[in-house]
Structure formats: structure tokens, C-alpha cells
Amino acid sequence: MKKNIIPIITASAIIVFCAFITAKFETRLVRAITIDSLGACQGISYQNGRIFLYGDREVGMIREFKMVNDSLVYQHKEVKLTQNGQDVINHPTGIAYNGSGPVFIGNSIRLNTEGTKWRAVIYCVNWDGLLQSGTLDGNLINTIEDDACIQGTRPEYVKYNNKWYVATADYGGHANEVRLYDPEKLKKASKTSDEGVVFKKFTCTPWVQNLHWIAGKGVLVLVQNKVEGRQWRLTYIDLKKSIETGKQVIINEVDTIDRPDELEGFSFIGDQKNGIAVSSSRKNNVNFTITQ
């Protein structure tokens, strides 16, 4: 009897995985709360039970929270993304963290009102030191110009063929791409166009604000606006197929959430059912979601 346990468990896992990547599902809002002291919230990073919200207050900053029952509780830990008192990462647009590789934070700066000129920078940081000291002082390892981008940067770790890469995407109305960077080469690069940094890329739909990797599923979520700076869309794509075809391969698209504001970030928190979506609004900027 014991010999059949592993095959049964394996078969069950395969069924759950296949159901996730083939079935149509919906994400809906459960409730919304207002979290202050973030400025315009720009994203969320979920790290093994720890929840980090980041925004562009008077300086770029990160605050740590924890789910206690159904409440999001501030842990009284704040990081200011400054060095020598000067604002460095003033508009954080992604935290790439996987628990083992180098940690990267993105900064996307619009240089003109038309959104045709951007300065995109990726910072390699000492994450543990950053959380301990509360600033970038002594914790900024490298500054990398993301000149391979088209419109901004938003780094997130993904896994392809059992190797970690740092994915990023553009925010714009046309010519958008998702690019995968080699993290070890990125860590030492001066710019992302340096030889060997860009591993693969594929085209994607417009207005990607952030990326969320679903570990173990091979699924990358494009956190998007439907139009520039407004309305919510979550696009689930098959990363492997997208890389192999050179364009996004959609598994499921959720665009039924009726919110007119600017969706900035999304993350599942511990499973593929419960999540948190954040917007840049002054009120109701943190939203609890359920996916079924």
C-alpha cells in the first residue's frame, strides 16, 4: 500500500498544476483599506510571510507589514532609499528577491510628459543590511543603467529551465517587452546592454506596471493598466511558451475588476488564492483579493 502513496501524490499535484494553467478563473476584490505614509504606493513584495509595501513619499521608501488573521499590521520597520541623506531610489518600481540570489530594486523615472523618454536604473543592494540600517548607506552594491529597456524597469525573479533570471517589463503604449537578465552578470554590469546580461526577451501588451512570479507554476503575472495610468488588469502568461515563441502566451486575463484608479502592484500571499493589490490612490490603496 505504501508504494502507491508517492505516485498518487504526484498525480494529484499534476492535476492541480494543470487546472491552474488551463482553467479560466476570476480575481475579485474582497475589501479595501487605506495605508498611510507610503506616498503613492508603487508595489508589493511578499517574502516568506513578510510583506513589503514601497512607495514614493518625500523620498523612496519601503515599509514592512505582516498578516495577522485578516489584518495587515505595520511592523514599525521603515527603509528610506537614501544615501548620505540624498534621495536615490525616488520612484521604486520593483524588488527582485528570491531568498538566495542578489537583490535588485528598480527605479523608473519619466523624463518628459509624453512618456517617450525614461531613465531606468536597477540597483543591486545588500537587502539584509538595508533592512537593518534603514538606508542605502553602506548597502548599495552596484548601480546599473537599464538602457536595454524601452519604457522603465520593474525587476522580478523568475525561473526558466531551473535557472533564476531577473525579469523586467516596459510601461508604454507600444513596443513593450519582457526581458530576462542573468542576475550574476547584472550584479556586476554598468548597464543592461553589456554583453551577456540580456538572456531572452518577448513582446507583451501595454501598460505593465509590475510583475509577479508564481513559484512552481511557470506562470508570470503582468500587473497592468487597461489604459495609461488607469484601470486594472492581471494577465497570466506561460513564461516558457512566451520565451520560445517570442511573444506573450496568455493563460488567463482578468480585467473585470471595476476600479478606475492606477493599479501598481499585485502579489499572492502564501497561496494562489489570497492576494494583495496596491494602487497609487490616497484612499483604498491596499486591496485584498481572492482568486477562484
Side-chain angles (χ1 to χ4, degrees):
M1 185 63 115
K2 290 183 179 179
K3 292 181 180 180
N4 294 328
I5 292 176
I6 293 176
I8 290 172
I9 293 173
T10 303
S12 298
I14 292 171
I15 290 170
V16 170
F17 172 74
C18 291
F20 183 84
I21 66 170
T22 59
K24 292 295 181 181
F25 46 87
E26 283 297 325
T27 299
R28 60 182 177 86
L29 298 185
V30 177
R31 61 192 175 93
I33 61 174
T34 300
I35 298 291
D36 61 16
S37 303
L38 296 173
C41 188
Q42 297 298 308
I44 173 174
S45 178
Y46 178 82
Q47 302 176 10
N48 301 317
R50 304 176 77 177
I51 296 171
F52 298 93
L53 303 181
Y54 49 92
D56 57 0
R57 211 170 62 199
E58 72 279 359
V59 296
M61 47 74 59
I62 303 169
R63 283 191 154 203
E64 183 177 350
F65 297 81
K66 183 179 180 180
M67 287 299 299
V68 179
N69 298 320
D70 61 349
S71 298
L72 190 63
V73 179
Y74 177 47
Q75 299 300 292
H76 302 285
K77 294 180 181 179
E78 178 178 277
V79 171
K80 292 185 177 180
L81 298 171
T82 61
Q83 188 175 50
N84 298 321
Q86 298 299 310
D87 195 9
V88 175
I89 309 178
N90 64 309
H91 188 70
T93 49
I95 298 174
Y97 173 94
N98 69 355
S100 59
V103 177
F104 300 96
I105 301 177
N107 194 18
S108 297
I109 308 155
R110 182 181 292 204
L111 299 178
N112 63 355
T113 56
E114 297 79 16
T116 56
K117 295 181 179 180
W118 292 77
R119 181 171 183 249
V121 188
I122 297 174
Y123 302 84
C124 183
V125 301
N126 175 357
W127 183 249
D128 291 337
L130 184 64
L131 296 181
Q132 184 175 0
S133 70
T135 71
L136 288 168
D137 293 296
N139 297 308
L140 184 54
I141 297 171
N142 192 20
T143 300
I144 309 111
E145 292 287 335
D146 192 0
D147 62 339
C149 83
I150 299 170
Q151 300 114 345
T153 189
R154 37 205 49 82
E156 165 76 325
Y157 268 106
V158 302
K159 186 172 276 190
Y160 174 69
N161 287 345
N162 294 317
K163 178 174 169 56
W164 286 107
Y165 295 93
V166 175
T168 183
D170 298 302
Y171 188 84
H174 64 281
N176 290 44
E177 296 177 341
V178 173
R179 288 171 300 282
L180 271 64
Y181 300 151
D182 183 302
E184 291 304 319
K185 292 182 179 178
L186 179 64
K187 178 182 178 180
K188 300 173 183 177
S190 61
K191 55 187 185 299
T192 54
S193 62
D194 286 351
E195 184 177 356
V197 175
V198 178
F199 169 67
K200 295 285 186 181
K201 60 183 179 180
F202 57 88
T203 59
C204 67
T205 44
W207 315 123
V208 180
Q209 288 279 16
N210 225 309
L211 299 173
H212 174 56
W213 174 243
I214 303 179
K217 303 297 184 183
V219 176
L220 181 64
V221 184
L222 308 184
V223 183
Q224 297 175 280
N225 301 141
K226 293 182 187 178
V227 297
E228 184 175 9
R230 295 289 181 270
Q231 303 178 25
W232 292 26
R233 172 174 288 149
L234 298 173
T235 304
Y236 295 75
I237 66 172
D238 185 312
L239 180 65
K240 184 176 177 64
K241 290 182 179 179
S242 298
I243 290 172
E244 291 171 352
T245 60
K247 60 182 179 181
Q248 68 177 29
V249 175
I250 297 176
I251 298 167
N252 193 50
E253 187 177 76
V254 177
D255 61 0
T256 55
I257 299 174
D258 187 19
R259 282 284 294 264
D261 56 343
E262 187 173 22
L263 177 64
E264 295 280 5
F266 170 80
S267 177
F268 284 114
I269 49 173
D271 56 29
Q272 278 80 62
K273 182 178 180 181
N274 298 289
I276 293 177
V278 299
S279 82
S280 56
S281 298
R282 291 182 178 273
K283 296 182 178 180
N284 295 331
N285 57 343
V286 175
N287 302 265
F288 297 92
T289 68
I290 189 166
T291 299
Q292 295 175 315

